[in-house]
Amino acid sequence: MAILTANGIKKSFGDTQVLRGIDLEVEKGEVISILGPSGGGKTTFLRCLNFLEQADSGTLTFLDETVELAKANKKQIRAIRMHTGFVFQNYNLFLNKTALENVTEGLITARKMKKEEAVKKAEAALLKVGLSDKADAYPNQLSGGQQQRVAIARALATDPAILYFDEPTSALDPELTKEVLAVMRDLAKEGMTMVVVTHEVGFARQISTKAVFMENGVVVEAGAAPEFFDAPKTERTKEFLRSMSSKDV
Amino acid sequence: MSERVIDILLESFPKILIPGLLRTIPLTVLAFAFGLVIAVIVAMIQYANIKVLKEVCRFYVWVIRGTPLLVQLFVIFYGLPGVGILIDPFPAAVLVFAVNEGAYASETIRAAMEAVPHGQMEAGLCVGMSWWQIMRRIVLPQAFRTAFPTLGNEMISMLKDTSLAANITVTEMFMTTQRINAKYYLPLALYLEVGFIYLMFSTILTRLQHYGEKKLAAYGKR
Ligand SMILES: Nc1ncnc2c1ncn2[C@@H]1O[C@H](COP(=O)(O)OP(=O)(O)OP(=O)(O)O)[C@@H](O)[C@H]1O
Ligand SMILES: [Mg+2]
């Protein structure tokens, strides 16, 4: 069953149309990677799905509720956000909160969870990303990779139906990238539904069930992995994958 | 120094200090507290970009920062009775100093709020928090920490500026000194004495400010 169906999402910034009608269907347990050159609209697309950006048109069906993206009201937006998790390129941890508090914050304030219960959940989430020993550290005392793993724990602890990742490792050096990718790989194995924007083609190939190639605000090609990676149908995708994998090494 | 001068200084010290404790300090603390409330509200309106209100706030900051404090005191205390509004000296002073501080501190706080990386707001929204919750628990605490040293300096300036309240008949330290001087005519000694008491007060505030800065430095280095 589809958890999420996006239809005809369009978005312009001023005169530039950044998304020209994007469709995407995500089934439960799928891991979908979105690839494409810089400026193609990948980030904007993810942000529209979570209303960090308001799309100009298009619909979103999420957990059997359909909303018009341009007309969604506060209640609908909040309902969707309560069941999604978002992992940003630059972590965006709350700098005045410890790692543990970063995770409990949304549970206590937005979900009205009791403090002890929230702490238990947060501890479990931190354990999952391998950071139990850093629970009391502030973001400024953590490496980029650790910060990103706290951010993943923060998103996970809310039990999202879907997790969005926007280039979660592009601000990290290779060593730290590895630890974050390892966490994401575990999540994929456990059947977490994820949409991942990434430039790590090798990683995308390993974890994805489906892949999407996006350029200039349109989906050029979408298909099941690993076929998408091994035998792309369009010339443009082929070319892009080749250019990326030569960068990989 | 003659014995007479020393006697007068010793005798006048408590006479100046007491209005300091009863007028200058309460005026500073009350006006600063109200000023902070105004400042936070004004800063939030501007940060949230609320249409008409934002213009009103800009106008307020523009007028207050562009006119002398002394003129503001005179308008409120000597001017308003002309249209039937009479305010006692002390409350009038609290009002003017608070409104004044509100304008300056709102700019300090707004800048500090804008310095909080915006991504945290988005991250908060993504975990389902409301704008208010994020404001209260994430943005304001960080902004306050950034603004703290500047706010501390503003409070110390205000402490000294309260001497202007003498002009609207608030019997604070400076006015008291003027009165004592009228009796003994010892301007150098007496004005140095009141200056010394101001210095004591502002030194205490500076100490408190440093102590506060240390306390606030708790969450990780920056
Ligand atoms: N807030 C904004 N205002 C104006 N233009 C924007 C805004 N956000 C994005 N854009 C423009 O929209 C286009 C798509 O940007 P987007 O960030 O979605 O691309 P992307 O595929 O994520 O790129 P990258 O791989 O570099 O992250 C770009 O041309 C960008 O300049
Ligand atoms: Mg991007």
Side-chain angles (χ1 to χ4, degrees), chain B residues 185-196:
Chain B
Y185 199 69
L186 267 181
L188 181 61
L190 285 169
Y191 290 132
L192 280 176
E193 181 170 43
V194 72
F196 171 75

Side-chain angles (χ1 to χ4, degrees), chain B residues 46-202:
Chain B
Q46 300 198 56
Y47 184 83
N49 223 338
I50 304 171
K51 272 177 201 121
V52 181
L53 281 180
K54 192 178 129 188
E55 298 308 318
V56 174
C57 290
R58 281 237 188 94
F59 179 77
Y60 156 68
V61 172
W62 175 64
V63 169
I64 298 298
R65 297 212 309 173
T67 54
L69 185 52
L70 192 56
V71 172
Q72 294 163 18
L73 281 167
F74 274 51
V75 167
I76 298 298
F77 188 71
Y78 298 112
L80 286 187
V83 290
I85 304 172
L86 272 147
I87 313 177
D88 284 340
F90 188 78
V94 172
L95 176 72
V96 171
F97 282 101
V99 166
N100 204 269
E101 178 58 23
Y104 284 92
S106 74
E107 290 290 282
T108 308
I109 293 175
R110 187 177 61 85
M113 285 167 85
E114 265 150 27
V116 175
H118 191 65
Q120 294 179 69
M121 173 62 83
E122 296 189 337
L125 293 173
C126 284
V127 292
M129 293 169 77
S130 68
W131 189 89
W132 275 109
Q133 287 172 333
I134 301 165
M135 212 56 202
R136 209 179 66 236
R137 299 181 53 97
I138 311 295
V139 178
L140 281 178
Q142 289 178 54
F144 184 69
R145 197 184 90 145
T146 312
F148 188 84
T150 313
L151 291 177
N153 291 340
E154 283 170 12
M155 187 167 179
I156 293 166
S157 299
M158 191 203 276
L159 172 84
K160 294 175 288 176
D161 288 345
T162 54
S163 57
L164 289 173
N167 292 289
I168 60 164
T169 74
V170 177
T171 48
E172 44 67 71
M173 294 204 288
F174 185 64
M175 171 134 196
T176 310
T177 314
Q178 283 177 310
R179 284 185 180 165
I180 296 172
N181 184 50
K183 196 164 143 198
Y184 300 111
Y185 199 69
L186 267 181
L188 181 61
L190 285 169
Y191 290 132
L192 280 176
E193 181 170 43
V194 72
F196 171 75
I197 298 177
Y198 276 114
L199 186 60
M200 266 173 29
F201 285 168
S202 50

Side-chain angles (χ1 to χ4, degrees), chain A residues 123-156:
Chain A
E123 281 169 346
L126 286 177
L127 180 68
K128 200 167 218 166
V129 299
L131 284 177
S132 296
D133 56 328
K134 295 290 183 192
D136 295 326
Y138 284 93
N140 292 326
Q141 299 164 328
L142 298 172
S143 73
Q146 290 168 334
Q147 289 191 52
Q148 191 59 296
R149 285 187 284 153
V150 173
I152 294 174
R154 174 172 69 182
L156 267 183

